[in-house]
Each structure stands twice: as C-alpha cells, then as structure tokens.
Amino acid sequence: MPSEATRRARPLPAAITRGAFLAALAGGVAAAAGMGAGPARAGGAVRYPGVNLSGGEFGDIGRPLGQGYIYPPNESFAYYAGRGMKLVRIPFKIERVQPEPLGALSVRDADELARCVRAAKAAGLLVVLDAHNFGKRDGKPIEARDLTNLWSRLAARFRDEPSVAYGLMNEPVAFAPPAWRPVVDALVKAIRDGGSRQLLMVPGAGWSGAHSWVSDGNAAAFEDFQDPHFLFEVHQYLDRDNSGSNPQDYAPGAGATRLAAFTDWARRRGAKAFLGEFGFALPAGEAEARALLSFVAAHTDVWQAYAYWAGGPWWGDYAFSIEPGKEGDKPQMALLRAYM
C-alpha cells in the first residue's frame, strides 16, 4: 500500500503550510448479536449518513491551533445537518489531545472537542471522535497502555454525552490483525470498566479496507469479537489501488463489488458496520460512487452509518471536498442526498 503521506491525495490549502437516536442504533447493534447467518437483506437509506469534518488532524505537531490545524466551526455542524447528515466524524491527533503519554489531556484541545460535541448535539448529530493516528504515536507504533489511557480519559470526559461515539483508531497500519485485536480488547475493557456505554467504532488492522478485510486477516482476528454497542469500522475508496490518492482514476466495478466480501462476513456473524471513509470526485467518479451508495442502501441490515471524506473549511480545491464554497453546495452533495 502507498505510504500514509501519499495514500490520500489530500492537498493542504494555503492556510496550512504543510441520545434517542443513539439508543435506537445501539439497540439495533445489540439485536444483531442474536442473528443467525444470512438474515433477510434490508433496503433503503442508511440510518446515519454523515461526513468527516477535517482539520484536527492537519499539520505538523507543534504548530499552533488556528495556524497548523483547526477544529470545525460551529456553523459547519448546522450546515451538514441541514443537508440531511446525521453523523459527523471529527479527526484529531493524539499528540495534541494528550501531549504526554499517560498524562493529562490538553485543556485547549479537549475543550475544542467538547465544543464540537455541543455544536453537534445542538444540530441533532451523532459525533464520532476519531483518533487519527494510523496506530502510531510520535511516529512509532503506539503502546497499548498509552492508547488505553487516552481513551480512558476521553471516556471519563464524555461518558455522560449519549450523542458521542468513540472512533478507537484511524487505519492502524502499524499493526497486523493478530497484534491489533488484543489492543482493541484492552481499549474496550478500559472504556466499559470506566462506566462509558457509548457506541464504539472498531477498526481492523492496517488500512481497515473493506475490500481486504477477509483476505488480510481482520475477519479471522475479529470473528469472535463482542460488545453490546459497537460497529465495525471499515474504509473504502474506489480508485485502482483502493487508496483514494487517484481522484480522477476509478476502477470499473469497484463501487458494486468492493464492499461485498466484508458485507457477507458481517451478515454471517450478525455484525453491523460503519463506512468511516469513502470519497469521490465528479464527474470522473460518478458511476462508481452511485454503485457504492446503491450497494450500501441495498444492505442496510449491515450498513448502519457512513462518513464521507471529507468536509472542513481548510480543504481548498481538494477534489473530494464537499465543504460549501462561494457558489454554494459542492456537486457531490446532491449525489449523496439522492441516497439519503
């Protein structure tokens, strides 16, 4: 797979130099635990369509808030809710939220996350807090105890917010599936032991690709995973190497097929899923994007939620961006809304 730096063609704009609905969702997840193999397929709109609101993962560590990175402004939540979104995923860098391993949370960044939670709640949105670190801290594979400590502290901060879900780790490429599973088990135990009952987004190891979930070993590693309130999180791009780094080059048939093996696996074991990242440029990606959204809509017994990549005010002319411009909505927004 391409490196983290090149995997996504995410050009940084000039500003950057480098719970009622939750209860319903959690209830559906819990009910799924008792399903047998091959339940009837559902159809229709996914329950929680959403978007990644980028900014907190931008820039190099050490650059100040407002110059190297931002968190989405309050008006962003109202805009996306007004377009039919019901979920926002908020990426952040661990080193900013917890500057020292095992240390206290940064008051500034934790308060910014709390502001985002309040704004999302006011707009009626479920918010996924996303540790966007690729399984690393300070460029090295993160220690399980360090990640467990981070989430224990965040869970203590937000455990009384039913509209918050925890995205345990974005694309943990530093781990193979057999090594990643015990880290997840430790995280889940620490969060639950602390009294937090929020929804968990559980990723596989590596790039968490839906297309490779079975072949890369995540299916085997997570075959017996259980928790009362979780969704498996996978990502899926539609270019030829599944990376999202080729916004004008789409693999014919990708939209209709790349989610299929994961969907079959999840259905067989009675699990539900969150498509945490996907994106496309128009007009080049229209056919495959429609095929993917149609597939998700045809299999809502598995697919509960998605988050399009991406929104956020610092994207500039990034091909996948759906952040509104001076002329209003981006073209992708109309396509997404057609499947809500």
Side-chain angles (χ1 to χ4, degrees):
M1 297 295 291
S3 69
E4 293 161 24
T6 60
R7 182 166 187 262
R8 307 273 189 267
R10 297 174 177 174
L12 299 183
I16 311 174
T17 58
R18 175 318 250 157
F21 55 79
L22 179 62
L25 176 59
V29 173
M35 289 181 176
R41 291 159 175 77
V46 68
R47 187 176 294 180
Y48 292 100
V51 61
N52 287 270
L53 291 184
S54 290
E57 81 282 24
F58 282 174
D60 296 330
I61 298 299
R63 301 209 64 213
L65 180 66
Q67 296 182 26
Y69 70 107
I70 57 166
Y71 295 99
N74 290 349
E75 54 266 28
S76 290
F77 299 92
Y79 166 77
Y80 286 103
R83 295 302 185 272
M85 301 295 190
K86 297 181 180 179
L87 174 152
V88 290
R89 182 175 182 246
I90 308 296
F92 65 86
K93 281 189 175 179
I94 290 173
E95 297 89 343
R96 291 178 176 138
V97 171
Q98 189 183 38
E100 296 296 329
L102 309 181
L105 300 181
S106 161
V107 172
R108 175 196 60 203
D109 288 83
D111 283 353
E112 278 293 288
L113 292 179
R115 175 188 61 78
C116 290
V117 168
R118 292 193 299 273
K121 184 177 180 180
L125 296 165
L126 175 68
V127 57
V128 180
L129 301 179
D130 162 46
H132 209 84
N133 273 65
F134 301 93
K136 300 180 182 181
R137 183 187 174 107
D138 300 317
K140 301 176 182 178
I142 194 166
E143 296 287 342
R145 66 169 189 169
D146 295 346
L147 189 56
T148 299
N149 183 268
L150 168 77
W151 277 114
S152 294
R153 292 174 184 272
L154 285 171
R157 176 77 183 254
F158 294 109
R159 67 183 166 210
D160 295 325
E161 294 287 351
S163 60
V164 173
Y166 304 145
L168 301 180
M169 178 61 70
N170 179 73
E171 298 178 351
V173 296
F175 291 83
W180 178 240
R181 170 63 193 273
V183 176
V184 169
D185 289 344
L187 290 177
V188 172
K189 184 178 187 302
I191 290 168
R192 298 310 189 207
D193 285 352
S196 182
R197 309 312 303 169
Q198 272 87 345
L199 180 66
L200 305 181
M201 304 305 195
V202 177
W207 298 110
S208 300
H211 69 282
S212 59
W213 184 269
V214 174
S215 61
D216 283 357
N218 279 314
F222 286 91
E223 179 65 32
D224 61 349
F225 179 82
Q226 293 293 335
D227 181 79
H229 305 309
F230 83 97
L231 301 177
F232 282 118
E233 178 178 337
V234 296
H235 299 174
Q236 191 57 60
Y237 290 89
L238 301 171
D239 50 351
R240 294 181 187 277
D241 65 0
N242 300 281
S243 72
S245 60
N246 306 290
Q248 303 304 324
D249 183 20
Y250 294 83
T257 62
R258 286 186 177 170
L259 300 180
F262 171 84
T263 302
D264 289 345
W265 173 83
R267 178 178 292 118
R268 178 183 57 76
R269 72 176 300 280
K272 295 184 183 291
F274 168 48
L275 183 58
E277 290 185 19
F278 71 102
F280 53 90
L282 293 178
E286 180 174 356
E288 297 310 323
R290 288 188 179 278
L292 182 140
L293 289 165
S294 295
F295 184 96
V296 169
H299 299 279
T300 53
D301 60 311
V302 170
W303 296 102
Q304 297 291 290
Y306 68 66
Y308 178 88
W309 186 271
W314 278 9
W315 276 123
D317 61 358
Y318 175 47
F320 290 174
S321 173
I322 57 169
E323 189 69 13
K326 294 180 180 179
E327 298 180 356
D329 291 355
K330 292 292 178 63
Q332 291 97 323
M333 182 60 79
L335 195 157
L336 290 168
R337 293 186 72 184
Y339 291 85
M340 291 181 188

